[in-house]
Amino acid sequence: MKFVLSGVKPTGIPTLGNYLGALKNFVRLQNSMKDYEFLIFVADLHAITTYQKPEELKEHIRTVAALYLACGLDLDNLTLFIQSEVHEHVELGYVMQSVAYMGELERMTQYKDKMQKQVQGVTSALFTYPALMAADILLYNATYVPVGDDQVQHLELTRDLATRFNSRYGETFVVPQVLVQKTASRIMDLQNPTRKMDKSAENPKGCIFLTEPLDQIRKKIKAAVTDNDGIVRYDVENKPGISNLMSIYASITEMTFQQIEEKYHECGYGIFKSDLAELVVTEIDKVQKEYDYWINSSELDQILNEGKARASMFARSNMRKIYEKMGLKR
Ligand code: LTN
């Protein structure tokens, strides 16, 4: 069995950025990699590295699971599960902490960024997060891991840990390969286009949530920050706002930036923005209709139960082998 594996953290309602950068990409990959099984999970144990209100976390876990299905993943080669329901993630996470060095974890830019932003209350789990992430992947010997570019460093660490483990204890893990999503890997905040679109942004106008009313989405796009030279041209340095909107446009239509520039040559931002708003709304409308079905269906729980059972079966058998290699089994 060959696996493609990825996870999304349920720290809030997924955004347009999550959709274009991750969810939609999984669907595209699934269509082009029919001989792989897709292991997709809700990374709830990663979410709790920063405090989550229990009732909100519970809701967000379900929302993320329903949204995965709403985006059109093919159930035939999908195992969808919730990370905390497969206990071996925690077990192997601890093992990976015993393979990872402090220095390696200290070098992780995501950790350093969070450290800088959040002076108080940085948890020890935030520090060891990459060890758990490595465990998520290595537990199943996944071949490919599709992620956004902000996760590439974590994937490199995962490869290092797998290699180190293999050389210490003998061939155990497949060293995974990263699949970086190029376009739309980084959708930026609509109000502050030099920052990544983030669920927890201070100004909610900058972020489009997948479950929000379509009218509100239109408004947010039309109110997106641009510049005042009025030319639809891709230039991240000098025109971050319009470039971000072009990334969204490109990712939905699969057009190149050049094609978009030609299409909106002499148009100004107004027409471009209203076209983009319609594209986004059409796309999200489809997702919302599917989402309404899944979130209210008992089929969702059934799929998660089957996912848990199947993932646990692989996880249990691999965990036994891993402990044996390390001398931990009688
Ligand atoms: N860290 C990732 C989520 C994540 C993940 C994983 C992705 C947790 N475990 C394993 C791929 C494989 C994030 O924050 N996007």
Side-chain angles (χ1 to χ4, degrees):
M1 199 61 81
K2 293 186 297 181
F3 295 117
V4 173
L5 172 142
S6 201
V8 171
K9 268 187 304 182
T11 40
I13 306 282
T15 67
L16 180 66
N18 298 129
Y19 174 71
L20 296 175
L23 301 170
K24 197 178 178 207
N25 189 41
F26 298 159
V27 176
R28 206 179 295 132
L29 283 174
Q30 217 188 8
N31 288 327
S32 64
M33 301 173 80
K34 296 276 186 205
D35 47 343
Y36 283 82
E37 176 166 338
F38 278 64
L39 287 171
I40 305 279
F41 65 97
V42 183
D44 56 351
L45 294 172
H46 283 275
I48 59 168
T49 54
T50 52
Y51 173 73
Q52 306 292 318
K53 289 202 184 85
E55 61 282 9
E56 285 177 11
L57 180 60
K58 192 172 213 153
E59 193 185 314
H60 290 151
I61 291 170
R62 223 181 135 72
T63 302
V64 170
L67 276 171
Y68 271 133
L69 295 170
C71 292
L73 286 167
D74 175 4
L75 293 174
D76 285 341
N77 63 342
L78 173 69
T79 294
L80 178 66
F81 65 98
I82 295 172
Q83 184 188 25
S84 64
E85 293 184 0
V86 180
H87 307 298
E88 287 79 4
H89 285 254
V90 179
E91 279 185 79
L92 187 55
Y94 178 74
V95 168
M96 286 300 136
Q97 284 182 46
S98 70
V99 179
Y101 299 127
M102 295 287 284
E104 285 173 318
L105 297 173
E106 279 162 0
R107 277 198 295 278
M108 295 292 116
T109 50
Q110 192 164 30
Y111 166 72
K112 286 196 284 187
D113 285 353
K114 294 214 165 145
M115 247 334 235
Q116 246 169 15
K117 273 191 227 141
Q118 193 186 332
V119 201
Q120 245 190 349
V122 173
T123 65
S124 48
L126 202 56
F127 181 63
T128 56
Y129 184 116
L132 180 61
M133 178 160 165
D136 297 336
I137 299 163
L138 300 177
L139 186 55
Y140 304 96
N141 286 309
T143 311
Y144 291 112
V145 184
V147 287
D149 59 2
D150 61 330
Q151 296 298 314
V152 170
Q153 196 187 25
H154 289 159
L155 254 295
E156 274 159 14
L157 177 68
T158 303
R159 291 167 55 87
D160 289 345
L161 298 180
T163 308
R164 186 174 310 148
F165 189 102
N166 287 347
S167 73
R168 277 190 191 161
Y169 301 108
E171 270 320 294
T172 309
F173 295 122
V174 168
V175 180
Q177 282 166 266
V178 59
L179 288 178
V180 192
Q181 168 50 358
K182 278 173 231 85
T183 51
S185 151
R186 269 176 106 66
I187 296 294
M188 313 305 274
D189 189 293
L190 299 177
Q191 290 298 318
N192 187 355
T194 54
R195 285 206 4 215
K196 194 173 165 181
M197 185 181 281
D198 186 60
K199 305 159 191 157
S200 48
E202 302 118 54
N203 186 349
K205 279 198 188 140
C207 180
I208 292 177
F209 297 97
L210 288 178
T211 57
E212 77 181 295
L214 299 177
D215 255 0
Q216 209 165 293
I217 295 178
R218 269 194 201 94
K219 281 193 196 129
K220 285 184 181 177
I221 291 178
K222 290 186 182 165
V225 166
T226 49
D227 50 62
N228 40 31
D229 70 6
I231 301 167
V232 179
R233 182 165 53 82
Y234 190 80
D235 177 352
V236 180
E237 284 278 294
N238 301 305
K239 296 160 73 67
I242 212 73
S243 301
N244 183 41
L245 297 180
M246 287 177 75
S247 294
I248 299 173
Y249 197 109
S251 149
I252 295 177
T253 58
E254 296 187 4
M255 278 165 77
T256 64
F257 293 134
Q258 203 189 339
Q259 286 169 325
I260 299 169
E261 284 169 8
E262 279 161 18
K263 182 163 180 193
Y264 291 94
H265 175 66
E266 293 178 349
C267 268
Y269 296 154
I271 296 176
F272 172 68
K273 277 183 172 177
S274 39
D275 284 2
L276 177 63
E278 286 324 299
L279 282 171
V280 171
V281 161
T282 308
E283 185 92 7
I284 294 186
D285 185 39
K286 276 188 284 185
V287 174
Q288 289 189 355
K289 290 202 168 97
E290 287 290 311
Y291 172 79
D292 287 341
Y293 167 77
W294 288 109
I295 199 73
N296 295 309
S297 163
S298 62
E299 217 183 319
L300 176 61
D301 280 303
Q302 207 178 309
I303 289 169
L304 290 172
N305 287 343
E306 283 164 18
K308 171 189 173 178
R310 185 162 170 83
S312 297
M313 175 185 81
F314 295 122
R316 213 173 294 133
S317 123
N318 287 338
M319 201 62 223
R320 179 195 307 272
K321 289 182 201 147
I322 294 160
Y323 274 162
E324 258 161 25
K325 296 258 173 153
M326 301 179 81
L328 288 171
K329 273 276 183 283
R330 266 197 288 157

